[in-house]
Amino acid sequence: MTEEKKSLNFIEQIIEEDLQSTHSRESLKFRFPPEPNGYLHIGHASSICLNFGLGERYGAPVNLRFDDTNPIKEEQEYVDAIKNDVLWLGFKWEKECYASDYFQQLYDWAVELIKNGDAYVDSQTSEEIAEQKGTPTEAGKESPYRNRAVAENLELFEKMKNGDTPERGHVLRAKIDMAAKNMLMRDPVMYRCLHKNHHRTKDNWKIYPMYDWAHGESDFIESISHSFCTLEFLPHRELYNWFLEKVAQRGELKPKQREFARRNLSHTVVSKRKLMQLVEQGVVNSWDDPRMPTISGLRRRGYTPNSIRKFAESIGVGKRENIIDASHLEFCAREDLNKTAPRVMGVLNPVKLVITNYDEDKEEFLETENNPEDETAGTRNIPFSRELYIEREDFKESANRKFFRLTLGKEVRLKSAYIIKGEDVVKDAEGNITEIHCTYDPKSKSGSGSEESLRKVKGTLHWVSVKHALKAEIRLYDRLFTVENPDGDKEKDFMQFVNPNSLETITGFVEPSLKSAAVQDKFQFQRIGYFCVDKESKDGEPIFNRTVTLRDSWAKKK
Ligand code: ATP
Ligand code: MG
C-alpha cells in the first residue's frame, strides 16, 4: 500500500477501487439527500462535508437532493434553511433536486413492476400486514391479495393515485419473498395513500412513495455513482439493489449504496425529531437557539464554517457509531476564532476600581492591538479614566502568593495601560465590596518605552472605563443536557436530562467601540472567551452570545 492510500478513509478507498475497475472519473457523482422535515444539525454537517468533500477531491458534481416524500412532515421553511446552511458551510451543489420531481417517473416504473408481476396492491390494514411480517427466525405469511391479477392491480393502483380509494384502504407492495432472511425483503410497501397537500406538488398526488422505493431510484435518475448513507440503512441495501435491478436497463451503471457511521455529539441529541421536541416544548426558543446543535444554532452562537468543517474533517468517517465529546467541537471553534477574532475588553461581573491619584477630569486614549495572532489587524485606541470596571474575581482583599491578580498592597498591570497597586476597599452594610481604591504609576504606561513601562508584574487585568463603557446583555450558555448521552438510557426519556441552567443572561460592560458591532461579528473578550453579536441586538445595543470560553472550563467542572 502506498503512503497516499494509507491516508484514505474507507469511503475513499471504495471509490479508488471502483476507479480501478467499474468507474471512470467522469462517472463519479455524489449527493447530499436531506429530508426537509427540520433543520440540519452537526451530524448532517459530517454528511455534507463527506459528500461535498468527495466532490472537491475528485472534481465530481454533488447534487443537493431533497428527499421530500412525506408531505405530513415537510415544509418549505426547512428547504430554505437547509440550502442556507449548506451554502454557509461553503459548499456549492451542482443541481438542486427534489424526489417529488420524480413522482411521475416513479409512478411509471411502479406500473411496470405491476405489469411484470413484481408488485401488487394489498388491501389489508397496516396492522394485518405487520402481523404477517414474521420474525427474524420465522418466515412471514403471504397476503391473500398477493396473487391478484395484473389488470386488477393496475386498476386499483390508478384509483389510489387519483384519490378514489380511502387513505387506509390499500398499499402497493413489491412482490419479493415473504420468507426472505432480510425482513425488509418481505414484500415491502412501495406506496401508501395520503390525501395530503405536498409543499411542492400540492394536491397532485394522493399516493406517496416510501423511502426505499424513492431513494435509490432518485439516485439512479440523477446518475449518482455512490450513494452514502448512515449505517442503519445497511439492511436496506439489498432492497435498494433489488429495485434498481427492476428499473435499470441491462448494462446501465447503477448507483452504489455504501454506509458510514452516524456521528453523535455528547451532551446533546442529533435527531431532527428530538430537536423539534425541544423547540415545541419550549426547552429552547427556536431551531437556531444558540444552545441547539443545529447548524443554524451553531452559527448564531458564533461558530464559523471553518470550525465546523475542521471538526467534521478531524473526526472523519467511521464504520462504528460513537459519541464525540462536545469539547472537541469547542476546541475547533477556539482554534479558528483565535486566529480571526479581534480582541476587545469586556467585563462580565463588574466591580468599580477607582484610581485615586488619577485626575478626575482626565481621560486618555490608549493604543491596543486588535489581534496579536494577526499582524495585519492593526491597533485601536481605547478610553481610560479614573474609574474603571474590572472583573470581581480579579480582586481579593487578602490572597495567597499564588493569586496573581489584584490584592491590597500588590501591583498588577491594567492591559495596555498602567501598573496599579491595591490600596483600600469600600464596602456596603452587608460587607460586599462596592469599590476598590488603588494608585497608579504614571510612568508605567504600556508602550511608552520608559523603564517603568517595561517593568514586569505578575498579573495583567482587563478593564473598561466606567464613563465610556457600553452596557450590554450577555448570554452565557452551558451544555443543553446534563449527561453525556441523553439518549443512552432506553428506560428514560431524553427530556429528563435537560440542563435547567443552560442559559444565563447577565449584564456586562464592554468597550465603547462595540457600539458599532454588527450581527454575527465575533470577538475575543480578553481573558474571558469568544463572543458573537446576536441577531436580537438593536442598533447601538449589541447582545453577545458566548461562543466558548477561552479554555475548556467544562473539563475542570467534571
Ligand atoms: P434525523 O434523525 O436527524 O432526521 P436523518 O438521517 O433522518 O436524521 P436526513 O435528512 O434523512 O436525516 O439525512 C440526510 C443525510 O444526512 C443522510 O444521508 C443521513 O444519513 C445523514 N445524517 C443524518 N444524521 C447524521 C449523523 N448524525 N451523522 C452523519 N450523517 C448523518
Ligand atoms: Mg430521515
Side-chain angles (χ1 to χ4, degrees), residues 35 37 211 233 262 272:
E35 184 183 354
N37 62 346
Y211 174 89
F233 290 101
R262 224 165 236 281
K272 281 179 263 163

